Structures are given as C-alpha cells and as structure tokens.
Amino acid sequence: MTQPSPELPPEPRESRPFHIEDALAALIMAVLCVITFANVLTRYFTNISFAFTEEFSVFLVVVMTFIGAATAFTRGHHLAITFLVDKLPARGRLWQRRFALACGLAMFGVLTWYGALMWWDDFETGLTSPGLGVPQWWYTLSVPVLSALVEFRLLQLLFKRAPA
C-alpha cells in the first residue's frame, strides 16, 4: 500500500490590504470604456455623437486622477526625486519622508479648502453644466471630497506606520 504524498504548502502570495480605491478605479475604467465605445459606434453608424460623453469622461478622468494619487501615496509609488535623499543617513531619510508627507498634506489641504469654496459657489449660483444641463456642483463636489481622501491616506502614512 502506498502512502499518500504529503500536501505541498501553498505558494506564498503577496498580500496587501484592499482599498476602496482599487474597486473605484476598476469601475471608472469600465464606465469610461463603455461610454467611449458607445460614442464611437454611434458616430460611426449615424454621424451623430452622444453629447454627454465628453463632459462625463472629463469628470471621470478627474476622479481617477485623485484616486490614483491616493493609491500612489498609499503604496509609496508617487513621483519622487531621491538623488540627494538617498545620500542622507537613515534618520535624515526618515525626516525627509515626514517632511514630504507634511507638504502633501498641506497641498491637498489647500485643494480641499478651495475645492469646497468652488463647490459652494457653484451650489449657490445654480450653475449648470454645458453638456447635460445638470447642476455643476455635482461635478465640483468631487474635488474637496477626493482631496480629503488623499489627505486621509497621507495621514495614515504619517501616523499609523513609520515612514521608511
């Protein structure tokens, strides 16, 4: 009688925490593909374009930019010039990293504030979008909300784990 071969342990997977930004990015890309493809087909067969696609596509690209920024900061893949920083001792690199995160917080804080002012102005004046005629504040609300999301991710990096 042969003995059963021992089970091989599963190969280790690289695990990283799931963030809502991953699902939002996939959803936005899917919507962008569908509406752009529908517009191309409509133009090809009828010589008429959907009016809303450009306006909505621009909005989705702006949203995707903020989501990408939040994801890049979370994963440490944001743009960085490290020629001089790499020459610093470990403690200097740590303080430089904290300073860079604090600068990011300040920048997105300003963007949150002025985005909220822009949203309030659009809300108060009743401005409508040029393509669909919907209230413009529907679009501009994304700027302060998503800037705050980036700030939240930066705060997570600054306080929850020691920056490398």
Side-chain angles (χ1 to χ4, degrees), residues 74-136:
T74 300
R75 295 180 185 160
H77 294 155
H78 62 283
L79 182 63
I81 300 170
T82 61
F83 178 76
L84 295 176
V85 174
D86 289 342
K87 297 182 183 330
L88 292 174
R91 189 167 176 87
R93 285 193 306 269
L94 176 69
W95 282 104
Q96 184 282 329
R97 175 82 170 141
R98 288 182 178 158
F99 177 72
L101 290 173
C103 288
L105 271 171
M107 199 260 323
F108 280 100
V110 168
L111 195 55
T112 302
W113 174 254
Y114 282 109
L117 291 178
M118 180 177 68
W119 170 79
W120 182 249
D121 185 56
D122 287 349
F123 182 78
E124 259 191 337
T125 59
L127 186 65
T128 58
S129 68
L132 294 173
V134 298
Q136 185 71 31

Coordinates of all heavy atoms in Angstrom, one line a residue, residues 74-136:
T74 N -0.5 55.7 -0.9 CA -0.6 54.6 0.0 C 0.4 53.5 -0.3 O 1.0 52.9 0.6 CB -2.0 54.0 -0.2 OG1 -3.0 55.0 0.1 CG2 -2.3 52.8 0.7
R75 N 0.7 53.3 -1.5 CA 1.7 52.2 -1.9 C 3.1 52.7 -2.0 O 4.0 51.9 -2.3 CB 1.2 51.6 -3.2 CG -0.1 50.9 -3.1 CD -0.5 50.3 -4.4 NE -1.9 49.7 -4.2 CZ -2.7 49.5 -5.2 NH1 -2.3 49.7 -6.5 NH2 -3.8 49.0 -5.0
G76 N 3.3 54.0 -1.8 CA 4.7 54.6 -1.9 C 5.2 54.7 -3.4 O 6.4 54.6 -3.6
H77 N 4.3 54.8 -4.3 CA 4.7 54.9 -5.7 C 4.5 56.3 -6.3 O 4.5 56.4 -7.5 CB 3.8 53.9 -6.6 CG 4.1 52.5 -6.2 ND1 3.1 51.5 -6.4 CD2 5.1 51.8 -5.7 CE1 3.6 50.3 -6.1 NE2 4.8 50.5 -5.6
H78 N 4.4 57.3 -5.5 CA 4.3 58.6 -6.0 C 5.6 59.1 -6.6 O 6.7 58.5 -6.3 CB 3.8 59.6 -4.9 CG 4.7 59.7 -3.8 ND1 4.8 58.7 -2.8 CD2 5.6 60.6 -3.4 CE1 5.7 59.0 -1.9 NE2 6.2 60.2 -2.2
L79 N 5.6 60.1 -7.4 CA 6.8 60.6 -8.0 C 7.7 61.2 -6.9 O 7.3 62.0 -6.1 CB 6.4 61.7 -9.0 CG 7.5 62.4 -9.8 CD1 8.2 61.3 -10.7 CD2 7.0 63.5 -10.7
A80 N 8.9 60.8 -7.0 CA 9.9 61.3 -6.0 C 11.3 61.4 -6.7 O 11.7 60.5 -7.4 CB 10.0 60.4 -4.8
I81 N 12.0 62.4 -6.4 CA 13.4 62.6 -6.9 C 14.2 62.3 -5.7 O 14.2 63.1 -4.7 CB 13.6 64.0 -7.5 CG1 12.6 64.2 -8.7 CG2 15.0 64.1 -7.9 CD1 12.6 65.6 -9.2
T82 N 15.0 61.2 -5.7 CA 15.7 60.8 -4.5 C 17.2 60.8 -4.6 O 17.9 60.2 -3.8 CB 15.2 59.3 -4.1 OG1 15.6 58.5 -5.2 CG2 13.7 59.3 -3.9
F83 N 17.7 61.5 -5.6 CA 19.1 61.5 -5.8 C 19.8 62.0 -4.5 O 20.8 61.4 -4.0 CB 19.5 62.4 -7.0 CG 21.0 62.5 -7.2 CD1 21.7 61.5 -7.8 CD2 21.6 63.7 -6.9 CE1 23.0 61.6 -8.0 CE2 23.0 63.8 -7.1 CZ 23.7 62.7 -7.7
L84 N 19.4 63.1 -4.0 CA 20.1 63.7 -2.8 C 19.6 62.9 -1.5 O 20.4 62.7 -0.6 CB 19.8 65.2 -2.6 CG 20.4 66.0 -3.7 CD1 20.0 67.5 -3.6 CD2 21.9 65.9 -3.7
V85 N 18.3 62.6 -1.5 CA 17.8 61.9 -0.3 C 18.4 60.6 0.0 O 18.7 60.2 1.1 CB 16.2 61.7 -0.5 CG1 15.6 61.0 0.7 CG2 15.6 63.1 -0.6
D86 N 18.8 59.8 -1.1 CA 19.4 58.6 -0.9 C 20.8 58.7 -0.3 O 21.3 57.7 0.3 CB 19.5 57.8 -2.3 CG 18.2 57.3 -2.8 OD1 17.2 57.2 -2.0 OD2 18.1 57.0 -4.0
K87 N 21.4 59.9 -0.4 CA 22.7 60.1 0.2 C 22.6 60.5 1.7 O 23.7 60.5 2.4 CB 23.4 61.2 -0.6 CG 23.7 60.7 -2.0 CD 24.4 61.8 -2.8 CE 24.6 61.4 -4.2 NZ 24.8 60.1 -4.7
L88 N 21.4 60.7 2.2 CA 21.3 61.0 3.6 C 21.4 59.8 4.5 O 21.1 58.7 4.1 CB 19.9 61.7 3.9 CG 19.6 63.0 3.2 CD1 18.2 63.4 3.4 CD2 20.5 64.1 3.8
P89 N 21.7 60.0 5.8 CA 21.7 58.8 6.7 C 20.2 58.4 6.9 O 19.3 59.2 6.6 CB 22.4 59.4 8.0 CG 22.3 60.9 7.9 CD 22.3 61.2 6.4
A90 N 20.0 57.3 7.6 CA 18.7 56.7 7.8 C 17.8 57.7 8.5 O 16.6 57.9 8.1 CB 18.8 55.4 8.5
R91 N 18.3 58.4 9.5 CA 17.5 59.3 10.3 C 17.1 60.5 9.4 O 16.0 61.0 9.4 CB 18.2 59.8 11.5 CG 17.4 60.6 12.4 CD 18.1 60.7 13.8 NE 17.4 61.5 14.7 CZ 16.4 61.1 15.5 NH1 16.1 59.8 15.5 NH2 15.8 61.9 16.3
G92 N 18.0 61.0 8.5 CA 17.7 62.1 7.6 C 16.6 61.7 6.6 O 15.8 62.5 6.3
R93 N 16.7 60.5 6.1 CA 15.7 60.0 5.1 C 14.3 59.9 5.8 O 13.3 60.2 5.2 CB 16.1 58.6 4.6 CG 17.2 58.7 3.6 CD 17.4 57.4 2.8 NE 17.5 56.2 3.7 CZ 18.7 55.7 4.1 NH1 19.8 56.3 3.7 NH2 18.8 54.7 4.8
L94 N 14.3 59.5 7.1 CA 13.0 59.4 7.8 C 12.4 60.8 7.9 O 11.2 61.0 7.7 CB 13.3 58.8 9.2 CG 12.0 58.8 10.1 CD1 11.0 57.8 9.6 CD2 12.4 58.4 11.5
W95 N 13.2 61.8 8.3 CA 12.7 63.2 8.5 C 12.3 63.8 7.1 O 11.4 64.5 7.0 CB 13.7 64.0 9.2 CG 13.6 63.8 10.7 CD1 14.5 63.0 11.4 CD2 12.6 64.1 11.6 NE1 14.1 62.9 12.7 CE2 12.9 63.6 12.9 CE3 11.4 64.8 11.4 CZ2 12.1 63.8 14.0 CZ3 10.6 65.0 12.5 CH2 10.9 64.5 13.8
Q96 N 13.1 63.5 6.1 CA 12.7 64.0 4.8 C 11.4 63.4 4.3 O 10.6 64.1 3.8 CB 13.8 63.6 3.8 CG 13.6 64.2 2.4 CD 12.6 63.4 1.5 OE1 12.4 62.2 1.7 NE2 11.9 64.1 0.7
R97 N 11.2 62.1 4.6 CA 9.9 61.4 4.2 C 8.8 62.1 5.0 O 7.7 62.3 4.4 CB 10.0 59.9 4.6 CG 8.8 59.2 4.4 CD 8.6 58.8 2.9 NE 7.5 57.8 2.9 CZ 6.6 57.8 1.9 NH1 6.7 58.7 0.9 NH2 5.6 56.9 1.9
R98 N 8.9 62.3 6.2 CA 7.9 63.0 7.0 C 7.6 64.4 6.5 O 6.5 64.8 6.4 CB 8.3 63.0 8.5 CG 8.2 61.7 9.1 CD 8.5 61.8 10.6 NE 8.3 60.4 11.2 CZ 8.9 60.1 12.3 NH1 9.7 60.9 13.0 NH2 8.8 58.9 12.8
F99 N 8.7 65.1 6.1 CA 8.5 66.5 5.6 C 7.8 66.4 4.3 O 6.9 67.2 4.0 CB 9.9 67.1 5.4 CG 9.8 68.5 4.8 CD1 9.3 69.6 5.5 CD2 10.2 68.7 3.5 CE1 9.2 70.8 4.9 CE2 10.1 69.9 2.9 CZ 9.6 71.0 3.6
A100 N 8.1 65.4 3.4 CA 7.4 65.3 2.1 C 5.9 65.0 2.3 O 5.0 65.6 1.6 CB 8.1 64.2 1.3
L101 N 5.6 64.1 3.3 CA 4.2 63.8 3.6 C 3.5 65.0 4.2 O 2.3 65.3 3.8 CB 4.1 62.6 4.6 CG 4.5 61.3 4.0 CD1 4.5 60.2 5.1 CD2 3.6 60.8 2.9
A102 N 4.2 65.8 5.0 CA 3.6 67.0 5.5 C 3.3 68.1 4.4 O 2.3 68.7 4.4 CB 4.4 67.7 6.6
C103 N 4.2 68.2 3.4 CA 4.0 69.0 2.3 C 2.8 68.6 1.5 O 2.0 69.4 1.0 CB 5.2 69.1 1.4 SG 6.6 70.0 2.1
G104 N 2.7 67.3 1.3 CA 1.5 66.7 0.6 C 0.2 67.0 1.3 O -0.8 67.4 0.7
L105 N 0.2 66.9 2.6 CA -0.9 67.2 3.4 C -1.3 68.7 3.3 O -2.5 69.0 3.1 CB -0.7 67.0 4.9 CG -1.0 65.6 5.4 CD1 -0.4 65.4 6.8 CD2 -2.5 65.3 5.4
A106 N -0.3 69.6 3.3 CA -0.6 71.0 3.1 C -1.2 71.3 1.8 O -2.2 72.0 1.6 CB 0.7 71.8 3.3
M107 N -0.6 70.7 0.7 CA -1.1 70.9 -0.6 C -2.5 70.5 -0.8 O -3.4 71.2 -1.3 CB -0.2 70.3 -1.6 CG -0.3 70.8 -3.0 SD -1.3 70.0 -4.3 CE -1.0 68.3 -4.0
F108 N -2.8 69.2 -0.4 CA -4.2 68.7 -0.5 C -5.1 69.4 0.4 O -6.3 69.4 0.2 CB -4.2 67.2 -0.4 CG -3.7 66.5 -1.7 CD1 -2.5 66.0 -1.8 CD2 -4.6 66.4 -2.7 CE1 -2.0 65.4 -3.0 CE2 -4.2 65.8 -3.9 CZ -2.9 65.3 -4.0
G109 N -4.6 69.9 1.6 CA -5.5 70.7 2.4 C -5.9 72.0 1.8 O -7.1 72.3 1.8
V110 N -5.0 72.6 1.1 CA -5.4 73.8 0.3 C -6.4 73.5 -0.8 O -7.4 74.2 -1.0 CB -4.1 74.5 -0.3 CG1 -4.5 75.6 -1.3 CG2 -3.3 75.1 0.9
L111 N -6.1 72.4 -1.5 CA -7.0 71.9 -2.5 C -8.4 71.6 -2.0 O -9.4 71.9 -2.6 CB -6.4 70.7 -3.3 CG -7.0 70.4 -4.6 CD1 -7.0 71.5 -5.6 CD2 -6.2 69.2 -5.2
T112 N -8.5 71.0 -0.8 CA -9.8 70.7 -0.2 C -10.5 72.0 0.1 O -11.7 72.1 -0.1 CB -9.6 69.9 1.1 OG1 -8.9 68.7 0.8 CG2 -10.9 69.5 1.8
W113 N -9.8 72.9 0.7 CA -10.4 74.2 1.1 C -11.0 75.0 -0.1 O -12.1 75.3 -0.2 CB -9.4 75.1 1.9 CG -10.0 76.4 2.1 CD1 -9.6 77.6 1.5 CD2 -11.0 76.8 3.1 NE1 -10.3 78.7 2.1 CE2 -11.2 78.2 3.0 CE3 -11.7 76.1 4.0 CZ2 -12.1 78.9 3.8 CZ3 -12.6 76.7 4.8 CH2 -12.8 78.1 4.7
Y114 N -10.1 75.2 -1.1 CA -10.5 75.9 -2.3 C -11.5 75.1 -3.2 O -12.4 75.7 -3.8 CB -9.3 76.4 -3.1 CG -8.7 77.6 -2.5 CD1 -7.4 77.5 -1.9 CD2 -9.3 78.8 -2.5 CE1 -6.8 78.6 -1.4 CE2 -8.8 79.9 -2.0 CZ -7.5 79.8 -1.4 OH -6.9 80.9 -0.8
G115 N -11.4 73.8 -3.1 CA -12.4 73.0 -3.8 C -13.8 73.1 -3.2 O -14.8 73.1 -3.8
A116 N -13.8 73.2 -1.8 CA -15.1 73.4 -1.1 C -15.6 74.8 -1.4 O -16.9 74.9 -1.6 CB -14.8 73.2 0.4
L117 N -14.8 75.8 -1.5 CA -15.3 77.1 -1.9 C -15.8 77.1 -3.3 O -16.9 77.7 -3.6 CB -14.2 78.1 -1.8 CG -13.7 78.5 -0.4 CD1 -12.5 79.5 -0.4 CD2 -14.8 79.0 0.5
M118 N -15.2 76.4 -4.2 CA -15.7 76.3 -5.6 C -17.0 75.6 -5.6 O -17.9 76.0 -6.3 CB -14.6 75.6 -6.4 CG -15.0 75.4 -7.9 SD -13.8 74.6 -8.9 CE -13.8 73.0 -8.2
W119 N -17.1 74.5 -4.9 CA -18.4 73.8 -4.8 C -19.5 74.6 -4.3 O -20.6 74.7 -4.8 CB -18.2 72.5 -3.9 CG -19.5 71.9 -3.6 CD1 -20.2 71.1 -4.4 CD2 -20.3 72.1 -2.4 NE1 -21.4 70.7 -3.8 CE2 -21.5 71.3 -2.6 CE3 -20.1 72.8 -1.3 CZ2 -22.5 71.3 -1.6 CZ3 -21.1 72.7 -0.3 CH2 -22.3 72.0 -0.5
W120 N -19.2 75.4 -3.2 CA -20.2 76.2 -2.6 C -20.7 77.3 -3.6 O -21.8 77.6 -3.7 CB -19.7 76.8 -1.3 CG -20.8 77.7 -0.6 CD1 -20.8 79.0 -0.5 CD2 -22.0 77.2 -0.1 NE1 -21.9 79.5 0.1 CE2 -22.7 78.4 0.4 CE3 -22.6 76.0 0.1 CZ2 -23.9 78.3 1.1 CZ3 -23.8 75.9 0.7 CH2 -24.5 77.0 1.2
D121 N -19.7 77.9 -4.3 CA -20.0 78.9 -5.3 C -20.9 78.3 -6.4 O -21.9 79.0 -6.8 CB -18.7 79.5 -5.9 CG -19.0 80.6 -6.8 OD1 -19.7 81.6 -6.4 OD2 -18.6 80.5 -8.0
D122 N -20.6 77.1 -6.9 CA -21.5 76.5 -7.9 C -22.8 76.2 -7.3 O -23.8 76.3 -8.0 CB -20.8 75.2 -8.4 CG -19.6 75.5 -9.3 OD1 -19.4 76.7 -9.7 OD2 -18.9 74.5 -9.6
F123 N -22.9 75.7 -6.1 CA -24.1 75.4 -5.5 C -25.0 76.6 -5.3 O -26.2 76.6 -5.6 CB -23.9 74.7 -4.1 CG -25.1 74.3 -3.4 CD1 -25.8 73.1 -3.8 CD2 -25.6 75.0 -2.3 CE1 -26.9 72.7 -3.1 CE2 -26.8 74.6 -1.7 CZ -27.4 73.4 -2.1
E124 N -24.4 77.7 -4.8 CA -25.2 79.0 -4.5 C -25.7 79.6 -5.8 O -26.8 80.1 -5.8 CB -24.3 80.0 -3.8 CG -24.6 80.0 -2.3 CD -23.9 81.2 -1.7 OE1 -22.9 81.7 -2.2 OE2 -24.3 81.6 -0.6
T125 N -24.9 79.6 -6.8 CA -25.3 80.3 -8.1 C -26.2 79.5 -9.0 O -26.7 80.0 -9.9 CB -24.0 80.7 -8.9 OG1 -23.3 79.6 -9.2 CG2 -23.1 81.7 -8.1
G126 N -26.2 78.2 -8.7 CA -27.1 77.4 -9.5 C -26.5 77.1 -10.9 O -27.3 76.9 -11.9
L127 N -25.2 77.2 -11.1 CA -24.6 77.0 -12.4 C -24.9 75.6 -12.9 O -24.9 74.6 -12.1 CB -23.1 77.2 -12.2 CG -22.2 77.1 -13.4 CD1 -22.5 78.3 -14.3 CD2 -20.7 77.2 -13.0
T128 N -25.1 75.5 -14.2 CA -25.4 74.1 -14.8 C -24.3 73.8 -15.7 O -23.6 74.7 -16.3 CB -26.8 74.1 -15.5 OG1 -26.8 75.1 -16.5 CG2 -27.9 74.3 -14.5
S129 N -24.1 72.5 -16.0 CA -23.1 72.0 -16.8 C -23.5 72.3 -18.3 O -24.7 72.3 -18.6 CB -22.8 70.5 -16.6 OG -24.0 69.8 -17.1
P130 N -22.5 72.5 -19.2 CA -22.8 72.9 -20.5 C -23.4 71.7 -21.4 O -24.2 72.0 -22.2 CB -21.5 73.3 -21.1 CG -20.4 72.8 -20.2 CD -21.1 72.6 -18.9
G131 N -23.0 70.5 -21.1 CA -23.5 69.4 -22.0 C -24.8 68.8 -21.6 O -25.7 68.7 -22.4
L132 N -24.9 68.5 -20.3 CA -26.2 67.9 -19.8 C -27.1 68.8 -19.1 O -28.3 68.5 -19.0 CB -25.8 66.7 -18.9 CG -25.1 65.6 -19.5 CD1 -24.6 64.6 -18.4 CD2 -25.9 64.9 -20.5
G133 N -26.7 70.0 -18.7 CA -27.5 70.9 -18.0 C -27.8 70.5 -16.6 O -28.8 71.0 -16.0
V134 N -27.0 69.6 -16.0 CA -27.2 69.2 -14.6 C -26.5 70.3 -13.7 O -25.6 71.0 -14.2 CB -26.7 67.8 -14.3 CG1 -27.5 66.8 -15.2 CG2 -25.2 67.7 -14.6
P135 N -26.8 70.3 -12.5 CA -26.1 71.3 -11.6 C -24.6 71.0 -11.6 O -24.2 69.8 -11.4 CB -26.7 71.0 -10.2 CG -28.0 70.5 -10.5 CD -27.9 69.7 -11.7
Q136 N -23.8 72.0 -11.8 CA -22.4 71.9 -11.9 C -21.8 71.4 -10.6 O -20.7 70.7 -10.6 CB -21.7 73.2 -12.3 CG -20.2 73.2 -12.5 CD -19.9 72.5 -13.8 OE1 -20.6 72.5 -14.8 NE2 -18.7 71.9 -13.8

